[in-house]
């Protein structure tokens, strides 16, 4: 920077930090500018001040917070102060002089008293509580607790709410520091919850109570707060009676937190609390969101059985009531014409949030309470629904049956005849959505109640599914019948499946020629599963099936058909494995040609072909054995590339409102570690894990034939023993280690590792063992 620019910058900084507050306020407004250039310039100046004169910056922000007439400037200064004064990457508190620190603390507390804007008060309380949480443990802010007790006992609802907001966060951050004040806090909480007429104050107090209870490690200490529970519940019911549903929803969210973390606190008044929640859930005059939160509370309590064993099981009358509420939610489904179109995008057409939440909660309830508790309740209500005239009730009963199967599998397996009859009767229902739900139930039961279902009822279930594939008026029903064949055959022995293959395979071949892509895809996945489950029994169908599969592989080239082509690959490779090398080898050459040309083409990043192709190559290798070696030079480069993919990670501070939350990409998974939030693109990790599994598979299958690749593969896989982002990647890397060693050992023994001897195997072994011993303590 030249001398003139330096002088200009110094003059600008002097003006910003001078006695006139306007230039500094302008700088802060520019930090909020929609103009990238203006904002970027302001950030540079702000950071320069922070580096060179943190004391002036902190004082200026504090004065702006306490004296600016502009709402946005006060709000922004509260946010910026919190960022500068709390422990993250830009922490400046240690650099401030004692007089600056004292001034900041005084201005913050006086601003809490003077500020009138609710949104700014909340930001101020965030700043105060975060700063206090780092200072209180060392007794560096002795004024804060007396200030808060003064506020909560004052006549000002605004000050009471502010003190509880701060207290609530302090209980989360440094609860142990507040424990000496347990008696005083109990008195304050009881007084406010019983006597305040202000709903905002009571909700803030409720938040503080719940956070404080959670920070108490002793059950005796927690029990001292039991007498607050009726007043806490009254806060909720009063809000509902006054029509303040937003306030009630806040209260419900706090109760859900309590049910999840400290369910035992509720045990003495469990019947009253659960009864109140079910009353809310049944109140049709309330918003859906309020009713859903009340249900979430009861489900959360049921799921907390490890910390509060048997609490909900002792309330059978409430379980029956809750089940009835959830069943009623499943009725909230419409017969949307889009559903009948059998297009994948319309999978959920006609479903509502009530319907989706009802499904999810039935699943969670059955897993939490188990079959002995849920099945007696379910049996009675499901039979009543199936006997009713409305199709929606038949549909709801079948959906519910599928949802509870996982959690109730042991009890339902003992009553298989009743369960199977309930479902198969509905295959004849006049409404296609009911028939779809019956097929859906068979698919789910095949997974959750298998292999008992397959062994005992194959002669009823498979003909019913085969018949459902003839429903040409309803392609979505046909597609779902094919998917259920997949579920059924996955838990099935070849001997059970064999007698039905003629009928099933011929019907699946008809579906392969359907004009609806959903039906074709369903048929492909079903054929793949049937071939995989029936093994050598599938040989007799090979000549009829393979031409159709190859035709789809070669002709499904449009972007809209990418998944169809990918599933054709999967099906061909599974059929090849089922019938064996001799039967498959001629067609295998043609299939390999297509795969090689696809591998050489530029596939888009979201094309499912890539991951399906990786797996298809590995199955073809298993089928062809050593005959696969000539293709390795084509297969390995992209596989090594996928195995080396770097995780797409975004790291931000936990409280930042950033692009992770705003992203519509469902493949981004976020986790919070301490004060950092990490966003990871899971699709990248899944491709990496698949590639690592495939490398392990090739080494296992090709034995010494894999030797030429060991020197490239080992440096990729060995470091992945410590790959923290994805367990599947670590597992695949661990599994590959003995296969690599075995391949190297065989290559040396059989003389194909030219110029290398046992020393090479020993070096590879030492390298792997060193990394394995290092990963055993860190890699998980």
């Amino acid at each position: 920077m030249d001398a003139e620019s330096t002088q200009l910058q110094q003059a600008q900084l002097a003006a910003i930090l001078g006695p006139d507050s306007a230039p500094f306020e302008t700088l802060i407004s520019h930090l909020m500018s929609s103009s990238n250039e203006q904002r970027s310039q302001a950030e540079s100046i702000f950071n320069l001040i922070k580096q060179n004169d943190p004391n002036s910056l902190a004082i200026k922000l504090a004065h702006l917070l306490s004296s600016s007439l502009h709402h946005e400037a006060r709000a922004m200064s509260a946010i910026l102060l919190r960022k500068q004064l709390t422990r993250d990457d830009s922490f400046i508190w240690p650099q401030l002089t004692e007089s600056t620190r004292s001034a900041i603390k005084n201005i913050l507390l006086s601003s809490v008293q003077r500020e009138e804007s609710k949104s700014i008060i909340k930001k101020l309380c965030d700043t105060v509580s975060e700063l206090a949480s780092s200072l209180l443990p060392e007794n560096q802010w002795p004024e804060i607790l007396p200030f808060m007790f003064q506020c909560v006992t004052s006549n000002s609802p605004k000050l009471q709410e502010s003190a509880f907001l701060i207290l609530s966060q302090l209980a989360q951050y440094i609860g142990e520091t507040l424990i000496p004040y347990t008696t005083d806090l109990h008195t304050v909480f009881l007084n406010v919850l019983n006597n305040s007429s202000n709903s905002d104050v009571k909700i803030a107090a409720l938040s503080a109570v719940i956070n404080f209870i959670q920070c108490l490690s002793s059950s005796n200490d927690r029990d001292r707060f039991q007498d607050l529970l009726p007043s806490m519940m009254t806060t909720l019911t009063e809000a509902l009676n006054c029509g303040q549903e937003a306030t009630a929803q806040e209260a419900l969210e706090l109760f859900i937190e309590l049910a999840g973390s400290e369910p035992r606190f509720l045990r003495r008044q469990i019947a009253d609390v659960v009864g109140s929640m079910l009353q809310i859930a049944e109140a049709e005059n309330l918003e859906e969101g309020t009713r859903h939160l009340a249900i979430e509370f009861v489900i959360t309590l049921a799921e907390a059985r490890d910390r509060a064993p048997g609490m909900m099981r002792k309330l059978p009358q409430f379980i029956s009531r809750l089940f009835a509420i959830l069943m009623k939610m499943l009725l909230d489904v419409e017969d949307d014409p889009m559903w009948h179109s059998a297009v994948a995008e319309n999978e959920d057409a006609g479903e509502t949030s009530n319907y989706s939440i009802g499904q999810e909660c039935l699943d969670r309830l059955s897993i939490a309470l188990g079959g002995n508790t849920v099945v007696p309740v379910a049996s009675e209500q499901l039979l009543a629904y199936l006997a009713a005239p409305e199709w929606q009730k038949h549909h709801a009963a079948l959906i519910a049956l599928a949802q509870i199967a996982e959690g109730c599998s042991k009890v339902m397996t003992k009553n298989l005849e009743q369960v199977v009859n309930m479902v198969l009767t509905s295959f004849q229902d006049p409404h296609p959505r009911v028939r779809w739900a019956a097929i859906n139930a068979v698919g789910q039961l095949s997974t959750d109640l298998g292999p008992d279902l397959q062994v005992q009822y194959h002669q009823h279930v498979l003909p019913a599914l085969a018949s459902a594939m003839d429903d040409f008026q309803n392609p979505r029903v046909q597609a779902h019948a094919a998917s259920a064949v997949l579920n059924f055959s996955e838990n099935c022995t070849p001997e059970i499946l064999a007698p039905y293959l003629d009928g099933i395979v011929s019907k699946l071949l008809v579906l392969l020629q359907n004009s609806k892509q959903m039906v074709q895809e369903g048929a492909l996945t079903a054929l793949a599963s049937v071939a995989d489950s029936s093994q050598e029994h599938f040989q007799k169908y090979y000549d009829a099936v393979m031409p159709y599969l190859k035709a789809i592989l070669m002709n499904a080239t449009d972007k809209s058909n990418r998944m169809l082509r990918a599933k054709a690959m999967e099906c061909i490779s599974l059929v090849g494995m089922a019938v064996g090398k001799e039967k498959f080898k001629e067609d295998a050459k043609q299939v390999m040609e297509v795969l090689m040309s696809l591998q050489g083409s530029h596939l888009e990043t979201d094309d499912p072909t890539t991951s399906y192709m990786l797996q298809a190559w590995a199955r073809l290798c298993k089928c062809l054995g050593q005959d696969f070696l000539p293709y390795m030079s084509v297969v390995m480069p992209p596989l090594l590339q996928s195995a080396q993919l770097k995780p797409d990670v975004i790291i931000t501070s936990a409280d930042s409102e950033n692009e992770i939350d705003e992203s519509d990409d469902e493949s981004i998974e976020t986790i919070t570690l301490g004060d950092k939030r990490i966003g990871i693109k899971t699709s990248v990790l899944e491709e990496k894990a698949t590639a690592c599994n495939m490398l392990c598979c090739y080494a296992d299958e090709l034995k010494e034939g894999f030797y030429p690749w060991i020197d490239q593969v080992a440096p990729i896989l060995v470091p992945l023993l410590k790959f923290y982002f994805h367990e599947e990647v670590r597992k695949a890397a661990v599994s590959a280690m003995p296969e690599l060693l075995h391949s190297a050992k065989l290559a040396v023994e059989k003389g194909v590792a030219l110029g290398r001897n046992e020393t090479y195997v020993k070096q590879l072994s030492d390298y792997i063992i060193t990394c394995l011993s290092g990963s055993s303590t860190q890699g998980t």
Side-chain angles (χ1 to χ4, degrees):
M1 191 184 282
D2 58 32
E4 191 178 341
S5 299
T6 305
Q7 279 182 321
L8 271 171
Q9 190 183 69
Q10 285 172 344
Q12 190 180 19
L13 292 180
I16 289 168
L17 296 176
D20 181 4
S21 61
F24 186 78
E25 188 157 348
T26 301
L27 173 71
I28 299 305
S29 71
H30 286 176
L31 285 173
M32 300 180 276
S33 170
S34 56
S35 156
N36 286 341
E37 190 181 343
Q38 194 171 58
R39 193 173 63 252
S40 178
Q41 201 175 1
E43 282 169 0
S44 298
I45 295 168
F46 186 89
N47 288 330
L48 197 64
I49 297 170
K50 183 171 140 184
Q51 281 173 345
N52 296 329
D53 196 348
N55 284 282
S56 296
L57 176 65
I59 292 290
K60 278 282 186 185
L61 282 171
H63 282 309
L64 187 64
L65 173 64
S66 64
S67 60
S68 174
L69 300 175
H70 300 107
H71 180 280
E72 293 81 4
R74 297 200 308 282
M76 188 63 173
S77 60
I79 293 167
L80 289 171
L81 257 180
R82 183 168 66 85
K83 288 192 176 227
Q84 310 315 312
L85 302 180
T86 54
R87 293 182 188 278
D88 65 8
D89 299 339
S90 55
F91 186 42
I92 64 168
W93 185 261
Q95 300 166 43
L96 303 181
T97 64
E98 201 48 55
S99 64
T100 302
R101 291 177 184 182
S102 180
I104 297 289
K105 289 188 283 193
N106 289 336
I107 291 170
L108 283 173
L109 297 187
S110 63
S111 295
V112 168
Q113 291 173 294
R114 282 204 311 272
E115 182 59 62
E116 292 300 325
S117 159
K118 276 188 84 71
S119 65
I120 295 177
I121 287 172
K122 287 204 168 170
K123 290 180 175 66
L124 252 172
C125 291
D126 287 346
T127 305
V128 170
S129 52
E130 286 210 36
L131 181 59
S133 69
S134 62
L135 300 183
L136 261 179
E138 274 80 48
N139 199 27
Q140 291 176 10
W141 199 352
E143 304 88 354
I144 183 73
L145 291 177
F147 169 81
M148 284 161 57
F149 278 110
Q150 184 188 331
C151 288
V152 293
T153 54
S154 75
N155 295 321
S156 160
K158 183 197 81 170
L159 289 181
Q160 286 183 314
E161 183 185 6
S162 299
F164 284 127
L165 288 173
I166 296 167
L167 187 61
S168 178
Q169 293 196 55
L170 287 181
Q172 275 187 310
Y173 299 143
I174 51 160
E176 65 283 355
T177 311
L178 300 174
I179 290 172
Y181 306 95
T182 297
T183 305
D184 296 331
L185 286 171
H186 178 275
T187 306
V188 164
F189 290 143
L190 193 61
N191 180 42
V192 169
L193 289 171
N194 280 336
N195 300 319
S196 175
S197 57
N198 185 294
S199 61
D200 289 341
V201 171
K202 290 179 86 167
I203 285 290
L206 187 63
S207 174
V209 171
I210 288 173
N211 283 342
F212 187 65
I213 290 166
Q214 289 178 84
C215 82
L216 296 169
S217 54
S218 152
S219 57
N220 287 338
D221 285 345
R222 287 195 294 272
D223 285 348
R224 288 168 65 184
F225 286 79
Q226 281 279 331
D227 59 340
L228 295 180
L229 195 51
S231 310
M232 291 161 71
M233 287 300 296
T234 303
T235 300
L236 171 61
T237 50
E238 278 177 1
L240 288 169
N241 293 338
C242 299
Q244 298 173 322
E245 285 206 51
T247 302
Q249 288 179 14
E250 275 187 72
L252 281 165
E253 282 167 357
L254 292 164
F255 275 112
I256 290 166
E257 193 182 318
L258 185 63
S261 62
E262 292 298 336
R264 296 182 73 91
F265 180 77
L266 302 159
R267 69 190 182 282
R268 290 182 190 167
Q269 296 166 59
I270 184 80
D272 292 341
V273 173
V274 172
S276 299
M277 293 295 172
L278 292 179
Q279 208 171 349
I280 294 167
E282 290 164 335
E284 293 187 4
N285 60 318
L286 296 178
E287 289 175 16
E288 259 183 25
T290 306
R291 302 205 306 270
H292 292 170
L293 285 168
I295 292 167
E296 177 66 26
F297 172 88
V298 183
I299 299 286
T300 303
L301 207 52
E303 289 174 329
R305 65 189 188 283
D306 295 338
R307 280 158 295 157
M311 274 203 316
M312 283 293 290
R313 289 200 183 97
K314 292 169 186 165
L315 305 169
Q317 74 280 23
F318 289 142
I319 293 163
S320 179
R321 220 169 127 191
L322 174 60
F323 201 90
I325 292 166
L326 298 175
M327 288 292 295
K328 195 171 180 186
M329 289 169 78
L330 293 185
L331 297 175
D332 201 353
V333 62
E334 295 164 15
D335 193 17
D336 192 316
M338 300 295 279
W339 182 87
H340 293 269
S341 69
V343 176
E345 294 84 75
N346 302 323
E347 192 75 49
D348 303 327
E351 295 176 12
T352 61
S353 62
N354 251 346
Y355 176 83
S356 303
I357 288 168
Q359 271 192 296
E360 181 203 328
C361 289
L362 281 166
D363 181 38
R364 288 169 60 192
L365 185 69
S366 65
I367 290 168
L369 298 184
N372 289 328
T373 304
V374 172
V375 167
V377 170
S379 297
E380 186 184 336
Q381 297 191 25
L382 295 181
L383 288 169
Y385 265 57
L386 286 169
E390 303 91 341
W391 73 265
Q392 290 93 338
K393 287 196 171 177
H394 299 182
H395 183 267
L398 293 161
I399 294 296
L401 190 66
Q403 290 305 112
I404 65 171
E406 183 184 356
C408 302
S409 57
K410 286 182 182 172
V411 176
M412 284 171 75
T413 302
K414 290 175 189 167
N415 299 282
L416 257 182
E417 185 176 2
Q418 184 190 5
V419 172
V420 171
N421 288 341
M422 202 184 283
V423 176
L424 291 185
T425 306
S426 299
F427 270 59
Q428 309 307 319
D429 195 280
H431 201 290
R433 283 197 87 136
V434 176
R435 298 199 297 277
W436 181 94
I439 292 164
N440 182 66
V442 161
Q444 194 61 52
L445 297 174
S446 297
T447 302
D448 294 328
L449 309 187
D452 298 81
L453 178 83
Q454 284 82 342
V455 170
Q456 295 176 42
Y457 289 94
H458 56 86
Q459 71 275 32
H460 301 292
V461 173
L462 283 171
L465 290 175
S467 175
M469 287 190 237
D470 293 335
D471 192 351
F472 290 98
Q473 300 303 309
N474 295 285
R476 192 182 281 281
V477 173
Q478 287 180 296
H480 216 47
S483 298
V485 166
L486 179 154
N487 295 113
F488 189 91
S489 61
E490 279 180 339
N491 249 336
C492 213
T493 61
E495 291 68 36
I496 287 176
L497 213 47
Y500 305 96
L501 288 175
D502 284 1
I504 288 173
V505 172
S506 61
K507 293 197 177 195
L508 289 173
L509 285 178
V510 172
L511 297 192
L512 272 187
Q513 300 163 71
N514 196 290
S515 60
K516 295 283 185 184
Q517 191 171 326
M518 177 186 280
V519 178
Q520 287 181 291
E521 287 181 15
L524 280 170
T525 50
L527 265 175
S529 181
V530 165
D532 191 34
S533 298
S534 58
Q535 290 299 305
E536 68 274 7
H537 293 282
F538 201 79
Q539 288 227 7
K540 66 183 276 199
Y541 309 103
Y542 180 85
D543 294 335
V545 169
M546 190 51 72
Y548 286 109
L549 300 182
K550 288 196 301 185
I552 294 172
L553 180 66
M554 291 168 187
N555 299 325
T557 52
D558 290 355
K559 186 171 180 176
S560 61
N561 290 329
R562 293 186 311 189
M563 183 53 84
L564 189 66
R565 182 175 65 189
K567 286 186 181 289
M569 265 176 220
E570 176 182 61
C571 191
I572 288 169
S573 59
L574 281 163
V575 166
M577 279 179 70
V579 300
K581 179 163 83 169
E582 288 311 308
K583 187 78 176 162
F584 180 53
K585 64 182 177 187
E586 288 308 313
D587 288 311
K589 289 173 188 169
Q590 260 184 297
V591 171
M592 303 279 218
E593 293 296 327
V594 176
L595 293 190
M596 283 196 291
S597 72
L598 279 171
Q599 189 113 298
S601 63
H602 181 68
L603 296 171
E604 293 177 27
T605 51
D606 63 342
D607 192 332
T609 306
T610 306
S611 65
Y612 275 81
M613 190 152 51
L614 286 178
Q615 294 176 66
W617 280 125
R619 289 192 203 101
L620 291 167
C621 173
K622 272 185 185 287
C623 177
L624 300 175
Q626 299 299 310
D627 291 355
F628 188 79
L629 281 170
Y631 299 99
M632 285 293 282
S633 57
V634 176
V635 170
M636 286 298 284
L639 192 58
L640 294 172
Q641 201 174 341
S642 293
Q644 291 177 85
L645 284 170
K646 295 279 184 284
D648 196 348
V649 178
I650 307 164
I651 300 178
T652 61
S653 65
D655 58 353
S656 67
E657 295 166 9
N658 60 48
E659 68 275 13
I660 296 181
D661 289 335
E662 290 161 17
S663 169
D664 291 329
D665 189 347
E666 289 178 4
S667 73
I668 290 184
E669 194 175 289
T670 60
I671 52 172
T672 302
L673 290 175
D675 61 350
K676 298 289 180 226
R677 187 183 302 151
I678 302 172
I680 306 169
K681 196 163 178 113
T682 51
S683 56
V684 171
L685 294 180
E686 279 154 19
E687 185 181 335
K688 187 180 184 79
T690 301
C692 294
N693 275 313
M694 298 304 104
L695 288 170
C696 181
C697 172
Y698 288 134
D700 173 38
E701 194 60 45
L702 297 173
K703 307 291 190 275
E704 69 275 8
F706 192 73
Y707 163 75
W709 304 98
I710 292 176
D711 287 353
Q712 286 183 60
V713 170
I716 294 170
L717 289 186
V718 172
L720 295 179
L721 297 168
K722 299 179 184 177
F723 188 79
Y724 302 105
F725 296 110
H726 202 270
E727 188 180 357
E728 274 305 307
V729 172
R730 293 198 304 277
K731 279 185 180 174
V734 170
S735 302
M737 295 302 110
E739 305 305 340
L740 292 182
L741 276 173
H742 191 220
S743 174
K745 182 171 177 288
L746 286 176
V748 168
E749 287 172 0
K750 295 188 178 184
V752 294
L754 297 177
R756 281 179 162 166
N757 55 25
E758 289 79 2
T759 310
Y760 166 67
V761 181
K762 175 77 168 63
Q763 286 170 342
L764 182 63
S765 170
D766 289 347
Y767 173 43
I768 288 171
I769 288 167
T770 304
C771 291
L772 271 172
S773 58
S775 71
S776 63
T777 53
Q778 303 168 54
T780 55

